[in-house]
């Protein structure tokens, strides 16, 4: 078959135009699609801004401010916890004075001003006082002064006290020397501080009930003679653990408005006065009065310590266990209440006992008790001879 050249050219030209139109349409379609598509697409709504969820804060109760620690005044009397020392007595040693206490020697004088009074049996189960004064510059004139028994300085050494007496039991001379007491004995009349009360002699008192110690001369005497007045380091804090300055607490062991103590030949009673919150003392059934002031002896605290007491010689001198211990029982009485306690002289860190150790008072769980601030009466007596009501 033969084809002519003219017809082929026309077909080619028509095909080319057709292809150009198709390409143009395709390009226009692409452009149009690209233009219309964003406009036709659904507009995305802005996302709602999410806020962080805050946890509901509970209102916390405001913290109570801590109470400031109580500041104890520098002039605190270490025997009573009351800030009444003269400036010259701060950090200085107390004074222990032996005082006659049998009914025939009544009334004593100068004893109301004592800060602590110990009462302990002597020969024949009569009793004797050891009166302690916390301010060595204000000790009064005291009468009637009596002799020393070994268990009294064994107690006074725990306070680092000067020791004042008139005569001693000769059988304890070596013991007293070993204690190295700063002892002032009326038999030697150091500094002229001792004498006989002439008015009592004139009134018919027996000689042994007339000796006095003029404590008003004492500070000048020890200072003039260079005798140590500063307390040793481990006795510079309070003698007991005291309640707060404004606290007057009642022991929780039960009520106690009267304590009767039977020493044998002599008795003592401590009777609560709710008006003064003190215990008024009786001796052998009669009010015990200070002959100088006319006031009955009164104490914020009454402490009764039970222990073993035996007779050690034919004279009747006593052997008193002043050490105490875990099984030593006692009673702390104050503010119309009482509690059972234990006691010991074991103030050292290793728990050892000695004359120099502090008298410590514990509750039945072995924790040291706190006592009210004020004057304290301490009886050391036979076991089971106390009646509380």
């Amino acid at each position: 078959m033969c084809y002519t050249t003219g017809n082929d050219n026309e077909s080619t030209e028509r095909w080319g135009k057709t292809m150009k139109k198709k390409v143009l349409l395709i390009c226009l379609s692409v452009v149009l699609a690209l233009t219309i598509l964003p406009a036709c697409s659904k507009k995305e709504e802005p996302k709602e801004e999410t806020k962080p969820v805050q946890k509901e804060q509970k209102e916390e109760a405001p913290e109570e401010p801590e109470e400031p620690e109580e500041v104890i005044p520098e002039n605190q009397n270490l025997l009573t916890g009351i800030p009444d020392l003269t400036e010259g007595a701060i950090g200085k040693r107390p004074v222990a004075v032996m005082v006659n206490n049998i009914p025939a020697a009544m009334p004593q004088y100068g004893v109301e001003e004592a800060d602590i009074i110990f009462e302990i049996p002597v020969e024949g189960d009569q009793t004797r006082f050891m009166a302690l004064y916390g301010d060595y510059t204000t000790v009064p004139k005291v009468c009637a002064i009596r002799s020393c028994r070994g268990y009294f300085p064994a107690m006074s050494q725990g306070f680092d006290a000067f020791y004042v007496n008139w005569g001693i039991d000769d059988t304890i001379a070596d013991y007293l020397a070993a204690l190295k007491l700063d002892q002032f004995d009326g038999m030697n009349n150091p500094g002229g501080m001792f004498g006989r009360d002439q008015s009592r002699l004139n009134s018919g008192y027996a000689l042994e009930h007339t000796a006095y110690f003029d404590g008003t001369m004492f500070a000048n005497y020890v200072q003039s003679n260079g005798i140590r007045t500063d307390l040793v380091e481990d006795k510079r804090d309070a003698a007991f653990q005291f309640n707060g300055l404004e606290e007057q607490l009642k022991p929780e062991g039960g009520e106690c408005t009267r304590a009767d103590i039977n020493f044998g030949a002599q008795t003592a009673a401590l009777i609560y006065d709710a008006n003064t919150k003190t215990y008024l003392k009786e001796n052998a059934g009669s009010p015990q009065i200070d002959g100088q002031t006319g006031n009955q002896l009164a104490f914020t605290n009454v402490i009764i310590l039970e222990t073993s007491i035996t007779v050690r010689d034919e004279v009747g001198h006593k052997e008193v266990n002043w050490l105490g211990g875990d099984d030593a029982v006692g009673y702390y009485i104050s503010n119309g209440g009482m509690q059972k306690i234990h006691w010991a002289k074991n103030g050292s860190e290793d728990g050892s006992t000695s004359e120099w150790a502090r008298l410590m008072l514990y509750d039945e769980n072995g924790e040291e008790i706190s006592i009210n601030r004020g004057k304290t009466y301490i009886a050391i007596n036979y076991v089971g001879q106390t009646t509380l009501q």
Side-chain angles (χ1 to χ4, degrees), residues 346-378:
N346 60 350
S348 57
E349 291 183 3
D350 62 1
S352 61
T353 56
S354 74
E355 288 85 353
W356 278 95
R358 277 271 174 81
L359 173 61
M360 305 292 289
L361 310 174
Y362 304 99
D363 63 21
E364 295 196 86
N365 296 317
E367 299 294 327
E368 184 181 359
I369 69 167
S370 295
I371 69 174
N372 290 321
R373 294 172 188 266
K375 295 180 183 292
T376 298
Y377 166 84
I378 302 175

Side-chain angles (χ1 to χ4, degrees), residues 98-106 108 118-130 146-147 149 151-152 208-209 261-268 281 283-285 288 309 311 315-318 320 377 380-382:
M98 293 304 305
V99 183
N100 201 347
N101 193 53
I102 66 174
M106 297 297 115
Q108 308 134 319
F118 282 85
E119 184 172 7
I120 311 176
V122 291
E123 302 86 80
D125 287 331
Q126 298 287 347
T127 66
R128 197 155 294 179
F129 272 2
M130 181 173 71
R146 280 308 299 254
S147 57
R149 297 295 179 267
Y151 35 91
F152 286 103
E208 65 267 26
H209 306 323
I261 308 167
N262 183 3
F263 293 99
Q266 202 165 332
T267 61
K281 188 174 187 303
N283 183 349
Q288 189 152 8
I309 301 176
V311 177
V315 177
H317 292 127
K318 302 291 187 184
V320 176
Y377 166 84
I380 299 180
N381 194 31
Y382 299 95

Side-chain angles (χ1 to χ4, degrees), residues 79 94-101 108-111 114 116-119 128-136 139-148 152-153 156 161-166 182 184 186 193-194 211-216 218:
L79 303 186
V95 182
V97 182
M98 293 304 305
V99 183
N100 201 347
N101 193 53
Q108 308 134 319
Y109 57 78
V111 289
I116 298 175
I117 288 180
F118 282 85
E119 184 172 7
R128 197 155 294 179
F129 272 2
M130 181 173 71
L132 276 80
Y133 302 83
D135 189 328
Y136 88 111
V139 180
K141 191 173 184 179
V142 185
C143 183
I145 306 302
R146 280 308 299 254
S147 57
C148 171
F152 286 103
S156 74
F162 299 109
Y163 189 79
V164 176
N165 61 283
W166 189 304
D182 281 324
F184 305 85
M193 294 185 291
F194 296 84
Y212 69 77
F213 162 64
D214 190 350
T216 64
F218 185 72

